[in-house]
């Protein structure tokens, strides 16, 4: 019956029995370990177990452990978990109302709060719903009726520009935070220590979030709302353009949600918690997930012939002509992964830094040094060396998932396009022919003709899609 984000151990002092449990999606971190003396350990951070436990694992989300029963069992059993294909017709009003409830539910607070605003669809919708609610709620009178929003990026990045526009539209008190590639590189070791992973995508995105959280906390803000989870639920990553049918798309969204605790949830929680900041994620509300995952996945399919871009079901639900939630071009802005949106030169700078520290001979022998989850790029190898310095035990490296990935896909979805096997990069720019600023050396200077066709996109989207890639600093 618990509805929220949590991880806890509950002790019955009468007989010293206990249960440990973690929330449905794994928003809050929890690890479980076993000592040589037969002891069982629990911690919200892996680093607390690495000295005392011979083996430890990431506690699976939606599960509980009972000392009496002696094992794990799943308490969260939603209909979508079986990955069977749902058939409920698309209801935009239901989507909109259930999301608004999810956002408002997370505004129960007595501390100063704000919204992480990247200028993308998800965070912009969160900010818009919060802004509307504050205008008529008593919390507005308590803290002032203006919402505070926060965005970080390299100077001139896509996110900074879009976030400023959304903030101006909503009338928020906007805080635009800048960082340099060097500042990000200097923070890498600290970031990996805190987030406890060597996953490339997670580290790329965690670093700016870590730097932003420090600045937000220094302003006295204690809680922020964030847009994590939407892409997993609605098939919003650009690689979903290649989904062959609704069955494959639905199964991939299920796989992505089940793995969120190892990626975006881990990043959002640990990058903020490192500075004592709490991040809340309305898209991962249990009721909202049930509504969104019960939809016939046909309506989530990206259909250019019908003018449907990624996350069309969500965009359309908030496309209100009479009382707009957002400007049209923001509502239909192309998906931009956070590590790309903060500035394309961020990822390029990370690759250059790794190339300077990892030699070709190191890569040649990578499979001998790291037989589990062998790094396939110099960037991945560099992160792995930093991770192993802090977490040398085999149990630690096994808490991080592996396998090929392109544009944040699972290993299974890489099979959707044979060209991806040549460019396994989690950046959104690896979705060649889809991303407006795809990797220059692999893609033509202009957008894929298939995307450029006027019949493929909503009218207000066509002009933006026709913009040449050269406009973006790749």
């Amino acid at each position: 019956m618990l509805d929220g984000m949590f991880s806890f151990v509950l002790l019955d002092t009468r007989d010293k029995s206990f249960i440990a449990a973690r929330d449905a999606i794994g928003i809050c971190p929890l690890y479980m370990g076993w000592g040589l003396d037969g002891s069982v350990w629990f911690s919200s951070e892996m680093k607390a177990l690495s000295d005392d436990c011979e083996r430890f694992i990431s506690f699976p989300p939606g599960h509980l452990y009972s000392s009496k029963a002696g094992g794990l069992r799943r308490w969260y059993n939603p209909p979508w978990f079986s990955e069977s294909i749902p058939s409920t017709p698309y209801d935009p009003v239901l989507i909109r109302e259930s999301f608004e409830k999810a956002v408002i539910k997370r505004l129960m607070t007595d501390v100063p709060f704000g919204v992480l605003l990247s200028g993308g669809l998800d965070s912009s919708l969160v900010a818009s719903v919060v802004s509307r609610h504050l205008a008529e709620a008593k919390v507005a009178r308590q803290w002032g009726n203006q919402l505070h929003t926060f965005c970080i990026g390299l100077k001139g990045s896509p996110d900074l520009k879009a976030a400023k526009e959304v903030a101006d539209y909503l009338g928020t008190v906007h805080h635009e935070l800048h960082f340099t590639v060097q500042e990000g590189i200097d923070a890498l070791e600290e970031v990996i220590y805190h987030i406890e992973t060597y996953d490339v995508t997670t580290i790329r995105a965690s670093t700016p979030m870590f730097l932003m959280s420090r600045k937000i906390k220094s302003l006295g803000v204690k809680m922020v709302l964030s847009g994590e989870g939407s892409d997993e639920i609605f098939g919003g990553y650009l690689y979903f353009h290649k989904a062959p049918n609704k069955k494959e798309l639905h199964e991939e969204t299920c796989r992505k949600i089940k793995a969120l605790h190892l990626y975006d949830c881990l990043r959002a929680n640990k990058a903020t918690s490192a500075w004592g900041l709490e991040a809340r994620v309305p898209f991962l509300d249990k009721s909202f997930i049930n509504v969104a995952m019960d939809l016939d996945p046909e309506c989530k399919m990206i259909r250019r012939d019908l003018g449907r871009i990624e996350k069309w079901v969500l965009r359309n639900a908030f496309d209100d002509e009479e009382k707009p939630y957002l400007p049209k071009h923001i509502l239909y802005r192309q998906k931009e992964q956070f590590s790309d949106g903060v500035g394309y030169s961020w990822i390029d700078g990370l690759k250059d830094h790794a190339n300077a520290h990892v030699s070709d001979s190191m890569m040649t022998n990578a499979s001998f040094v790291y037989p589990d989850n062998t790094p396939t790029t110099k960037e991945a190898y560099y992160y792995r060396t930093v991770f192993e310095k802090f977490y040398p035990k085999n149990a630690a490296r096994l808490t991080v998932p592996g396998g090929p990935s392109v544009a944040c896909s699972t290993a299974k979805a890489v099979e959707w396009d044979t060209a991806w096997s040549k460019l396994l990069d989690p950046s959104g720019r690896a979705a060649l022919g889809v991303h407006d600023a795809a990797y220059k050396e692999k893609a033509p200077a202009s957008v894929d003709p298939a995307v450029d066709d006027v019949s493929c996109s909503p009218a207000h989207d066509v002009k933006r899609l026709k913009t040449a890639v050269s406009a973006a600093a790749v």
Side-chain angles (χ1 to χ4, degrees), residues 391-444:
Y391 308 106
K393 283 195 174 177
N394 190 50
R397 64 181 70 103
L398 293 178
T399 62
V400 182
S405 173
V406 64
C408 282
S409 73
T410 65
K412 176 71 178 166
V414 170
E415 300 168 11
W416 291 350
D417 190 333
T418 52
W420 286 345
S421 60
K422 303 186 187 83
L423 184 67
L424 290 173
D425 192 312
S427 165
R429 286 183 291 161
L432 305 179
V434 177
H435 194 287
D436 285 357
Y439 283 112
K440 231 177 188 178
E441 66 273 16
K442 300 282 183 183

Side-chain angles (χ1 to χ4, degrees), residues 362 365-371 381:
M362 290 161 81
N365 296 309
S367 61
F368 300 105
V369 179
Y370 302 120
Y381 192 104

Side-chain angles (χ1 to χ4, degrees), residues 163-407:
K164 176 78 167 64
E165 192 172 349
V166 174
D168 289 346
Y169 181 82
L170 298 176
T172 71
V173 179
H174 189 57
H175 306 264
E176 188 173 282
L177 311 170
H178 301 119
F179 78 107
T180 64
V181 172
Q182 190 57 50
E183 282 175 332
I185 288 170
D186 290 344
L188 279 176
E189 288 209 5
E190 203 178 350
V191 167
I192 292 171
Y193 173 75
H194 280 291
I195 63 172
E196 303 179 316
T197 186
Y198 50 83
D199 176 68
V200 172
T201 322
T202 308
I203 293 168
R204 285 175 173 180
S206 292
T207 306
M209 197 166 189
F210 178 82
L211 296 172
M212 176 167 57
S213 298
R214 179 178 63 188
K215 293 177 179 178
I216 291 173
K217 186 62 190 293
S218 71
L219 296 170
V221 173
K222 303 285 182 66
M223 183 273 281
V224 288
L225 273 70
S226 185
E228 268 78 26
S230 170
D231 294 309
E232 287 74 13
I233 295 167
F234 292 105
Y237 291 111
L238 295 182
Y239 74 88
F240 278 98
H241 278 250
K242 304 285 186 176
N245 53 59
K246 71 176 187 178
K247 179 178 182 292
E248 292 255 6
L249 181 137
H250 181 71
E251 289 172 353
E252 175 71 358
T253 57
C254 293
R255 287 192 293 268
K256 290 294 289 180
I257 298 172
K258 290 174 185 177
L260 263 170
H261 67 291
L262 300 170
Y263 297 102
D264 288 31
C265 286
L266 180 145
R267 164 178 59 79
N269 182 282
K270 292 182 177 179
T272 53
S273 294
W275 298 104
L277 186 65
E278 179 192 358
R280 297 183 183 177
V281 281
F283 278 106
L284 297 180
D285 179 80
K286 273 166 60 180
S287 300
F288 180 70
I289 291 178
N290 286 342
V291 168
M293 292 304 289
D294 196 39
L295 282 176
D296 184 338
E298 179 61 41
C299 65
K300 295 181 185 178
M301 289 288 288
I302 297 159
R303 294 281 305 275
R304 291 166 168 170
D305 55 326
L306 299 177
R308 286 194 208 157
I309 63 172
E310 66 279 354
K311 287 187 290 200
W312 174 83
V313 288
L314 184 62
R315 299 175 197 271
N316 183 65
F318 284 89
D319 196 347
D320 188 333
E321 295 286 349
E322 292 180 14
K323 197 179 175 188
Y325 283 79
L326 293 167
K328 281 276 195 198
H329 63 284
I330 295 290
L331 193 62
Y332 289 91
R333 182 188 174 198
Q334 184 183 60
K335 164 66 188 166
E336 195 73 86
Q337 285 165 214
F338 184 45
S339 51
D340 287 324
V342 296
Y344 299 125
S345 56
W346 166 233
I347 290 177
D348 298 334
L350 287 173
K351 289 181 175 180
D352 292 342
H353 180 71
N355 289 339
H357 286 79
V358 179
S359 65
D360 292 340
S361 61
M362 290 161 81
M363 289 303 298
T364 303
N365 296 309
S367 61
F368 300 105
V369 179
Y370 302 120
D372 296 309
N373 279 351
T374 305
T376 56
T377 65
K378 290 187 175 182
E379 186 185 4
Y381 192 104
Y382 177 73
Y383 298 153
R384 186 67 172 269
T385 59
V386 176
F387 177 87
E388 300 265 345
K389 183 167 75 174
F390 295 125
Y391 308 106
K393 283 195 174 177
N394 190 50
R397 64 181 70 103
L398 293 178
T399 62
V400 182
S405 173
V406 64

Side-chain angles (χ1 to χ4, degrees), residues 99-100 103-104 107 115-117 120-135 147 149 166-167 169-172 225 318 323-327 330-331:
F99 180 65
E100 287 179 326
V103 173
I104 293 166
L107 292 178
V115 174
L116 302 183
L117 179 62
L121 173 69
D122 310 326
S123 62
S124 298
L125 283 180
V126 174
S128 180
V129 173
V130 174
S131 186
R132 288 185 177 213
H133 178 69
L134 285 186
L147 175 66
T149 50
V166 174
Y169 181 82
L170 298 176
T172 71
L225 273 70
F318 284 89
K323 197 179 175 188
Y325 283 79
L326 293 167
I330 295 290
L331 193 62

